Amino acid sequence: VQLQASGGGLVQAGSSLRLSCAASGRTFSSYVMGWFRQAPGKEREFVAAIGRSTGSTDYADSAKGRFTIFRDNAKNTVYLQMNSLNPEDTAVYYCAADLRYGSRLAKEYDYWGQGTLVTVSS
């Protein structure tokens, strides 16, 4: 599967952004989907994940209450709605697909998108 992330940009603190990740192929619903981010000089970190049938989600503590992950299997797309953004959210955001059980570990994911840059100014 190929993943194409989009929706990043430069916003002010307190703003919202919605990231999208479009997947190619006809097996999108077979994948657990995740969002990760990597800030300059830091390791890639887990943000959120969603199960195949959208029933289950998991969030990093930094994302809970502000970010929402959801998917539309008919459109082969997973989204990350980000509200109340702050400068600490500045990073390149990556979507990823996992054929197995889903995880907070980046190494467990099979496919990655190219990343979309989110910059939050104070």
Side-chain angles (χ1 to χ4, degrees), residues 6-19:
S6 62
L10 172 62
V11 297
Q12 292 187 329
S15 299
S16 298
L17 272 178
R18 178 177 292 184
L19 306 183

Side-chain angles (χ1 to χ4, degrees), residues 70-100:
F70 59 102
R71 65 192 294 167
D72 186 337
N73 286 343
K75 295 183 178 180
N76 283 9
T77 303
V78 62
Y79 304 92
L80 185 68
Q81 176 67 42
M82 305 187 295
N83 299 328
S84 302
L85 286 162
N86 58 62
E88 290 70 39
D89 296 316
T90 295
V92 176
Y93 283 72
Y94 298 89
C95 59
D98 181 359
L99 260 177
R100 294 174 292 274

Side-chain angles (χ1 to χ4, degrees), residues 14-94:
S15 299
S16 298
L17 272 178
R18 178 177 292 184
L19 306 183
S20 299
C21 175
S24 64
R26 294 175 290 180
T27 59
F28 177 72
S29 60
S30 301
Y31 294 91
V32 174
M33 298 300 298
W35 284 97
F36 290 77
R37 67 185 183 185
Q38 188 165 16
K42 295 188 177 181
E43 292 187 354
R44 192 168 299 189
E45 65 175 4
F46 171 77
V47 176
I50 186 166
R52 295 171 181 83
S53 62
T54 80
S56 63
T57 56
D58 185 27
Y59 295 93
D61 287 345
S62 60
K64 285 180 183 176
R66 299 188 302 128
F67 295 2
T68 302
I69 186 172
F70 59 102
R71 65 192 294 167
D72 186 337
N73 286 343
K75 295 183 178 180
N76 283 9
T77 303
V78 62
Y79 304 92
L80 185 68
Q81 176 67 42
M82 305 187 295
N83 299 328
S84 302
L85 286 162
N86 58 62
E88 290 70 39
D89 296 316
T90 295
V92 176
Y93 283 72
Y94 298 89

